[in-house]
Amino acid sequence: MKALETRMAEWHNRRYGGKVNVPATYRKLLEEIGEVGEAIMKDYGTVIEEIGDVIACLMHLARGIDPALPFEQIIELAVVKLEDRERNGKK
Protein backbone atom coordinates (compact mmCIF):
# COMPACT_ATOMS: atom_id res chain seq x y z
CA MET A 1 0.00 0.00 0.00
CA LYS A 2 2.80 2.42 0.89
CA ALA A 3 4.47 1.97 -2.51
CA LEU A 4 1.22 2.78 -4.33
CA GLU A 5 0.61 5.75 -2.08
CA THR A 6 4.11 7.02 -2.88
CA ARG A 7 3.54 6.60 -6.63
CA MET A 8 0.23 8.44 -6.34
CA ALA A 9 1.89 11.29 -4.43
CA GLU A 10 4.69 11.51 -7.02
CA TRP A 11 2.16 11.66 -9.86
CA HIS A 12 0.16 14.30 -8.03
CA ASN A 13 3.29 16.36 -7.41
CA ARG A 14 4.23 16.21 -11.09
CA ARG A 15 0.75 17.15 -12.22
CA TYR A 16 -0.28 19.68 -9.60
CA GLY A 17 2.99 20.77 -8.00
CA GLY A 18 2.10 19.10 -4.71
CA LYS A 19 -0.82 21.41 -4.02
CA VAL A 20 -4.26 20.03 -3.27
CA ASN A 21 -7.30 22.16 -3.92
CA VAL A 22 -9.65 20.46 -1.45
CA PRO A 23 -12.95 21.86 -2.81
CA ALA A 24 -11.97 21.01 -6.41
CA THR A 25 -10.86 17.53 -5.36
CA TYR A 26 -14.17 17.03 -3.57
CA ARG A 27 -16.05 18.01 -6.73
CA LYS A 28 -13.93 15.56 -8.71
CA LEU A 29 -14.72 12.85 -6.14
CA LEU A 30 -18.45 13.42 -6.63
CA GLU A 31 -17.98 13.19 -10.40
CA GLU A 32 -16.07 9.93 -10.05
CA ILE A 33 -18.73 8.48 -7.73
CA GLY A 34 -21.28 9.31 -10.42
CA GLU A 35 -19.17 7.40 -12.92
CA VAL A 36 -19.24 4.36 -10.63
CA GLY A 37 -23.04 4.58 -10.65
CA GLU A 38 -23.12 4.89 -14.44
CA ALA A 39 -20.83 1.89 -14.79
CA ILE A 40 -23.08 -0.15 -12.50
CA MET A 41 -26.14 0.79 -14.53
CA LYS A 42 -24.62 0.51 -18.02
CA ASP A 43 -21.27 -1.25 -18.26
CA TYR A 44 -20.46 -3.48 -15.34
CA GLY A 45 -17.09 -4.24 -16.91
CA THR A 46 -15.67 -0.82 -15.95
CA VAL A 47 -16.89 -0.65 -12.35
CA ILE A 48 -13.55 -1.66 -10.80
CA GLU A 49 -11.67 0.93 -12.86
CA GLU A 50 -14.13 3.61 -11.77
CA ILE A 51 -13.81 2.53 -8.13
CA GLY A 52 -10.05 2.96 -8.56
CA ASP A 53 -10.65 6.54 -9.68
CA VAL A 54 -12.73 7.15 -6.54
CA ILE A 55 -9.96 5.74 -4.36
CA ALA A 56 -7.41 7.97 -6.10
CA CYS A 57 -9.60 11.02 -5.45
CA LEU A 58 -9.98 10.03 -1.81
CA MET A 59 -6.21 9.71 -1.51
CA HIS A 60 -5.74 13.20 -2.94
CA LEU A 61 -8.45 14.61 -0.70
CA ALA A 62 -6.84 13.04 2.37
CA ARG A 63 -3.45 14.43 1.32
CA GLY A 64 -4.99 17.90 1.09
CA ILE A 65 -6.46 17.65 4.57
CA ASP A 66 -3.50 15.99 6.32
CA PRO A 67 -0.43 15.35 4.14
CA ALA A 68 1.35 13.48 6.94
CA LEU A 69 -1.40 10.90 7.51
CA PRO A 70 -0.79 7.68 5.56
CA PHE A 71 -3.81 6.48 3.60
CA GLU A 72 -3.36 3.03 5.13
CA GLN A 73 -3.92 4.58 8.56
CA ILE A 74 -7.16 6.15 7.33
CA ILE A 75 -8.36 2.71 6.23
CA GLU A 76 -7.31 1.28 9.60
CA LEU A 77 -9.39 3.93 11.37
CA ALA A 78 -12.40 2.99 9.23
CA VAL A 79 -11.97 -0.72 9.98
CA VAL A 80 -11.74 -0.06 13.71
CA LYS A 81 -14.90 2.06 13.50
CA LEU A 82 -16.76 -0.71 11.64
CA GLU A 83 -15.61 -3.33 14.14
CA ASP A 84 -16.73 -1.14 17.04
CA ARG A 85 -20.16 -0.75 15.44
CA GLU A 86 -20.41 -4.50 14.98
CA ARG A 87 -19.44 -5.16 18.61
CA ASN A 88 -22.07 -2.67 19.74
CA GLY A 89 -24.78 -4.23 17.59
CA LYS A 90 -25.01 -1.29 15.20
CA LYS A 91 -25.28 -1.58 11.44
Side-chain angles (χ1 to χ4, degrees):
M1 178 68 125
K2 184 65 178 164
L4 288 174
E5 189 171 348
T6 299
R7 284 176 59 197
M8 183 67 73
E10 289 169 352
W11 173 85
H12 192 269
N13 288 339
R14 285 192 306 273
R15 178 146 182 173
Y16 299 105
K19 296 178 181 150
V20 179
N21 180 328
V22 172
T25 303
Y26 175 70
R27 285 190 298 275
K28 181 67 172 169
L29 173 62
L30 294 177
E31 177 186 323
E32 296 297 346
I33 289 170
E35 290 178 12
V36 170
E38 288 176 20
I40 289 170
M41 303 307 277
K42 296 178 183 175
D43 182 10
Y44 224 66
T46 63
V47 172
I48 296 301
E49 180 181 334
E50 298 301 340
I51 289 171
D53 291 345
V54 168
I55 292 169
C57 280
L58 287 170
M59 290 175 81
H60 294 309
L61 190 60
R63 177 172 289 280
I65 293 167
D66 186 348
L69 186 63
F71 198 70
E72 187 172 359
Q73 189 174 348
I74 295 169
I75 296 169
E76 174 67 24
L77 291 169
V79 169
V80 167
K81 184 177 177 180
L82 291 170
E83 290 170 342
D84 285 346
R85 285 180 184 168
E86 182 180 40
R87 269 192 298 282
N88 294 320
K90 297 178 182 175
K91 293 185 179 192

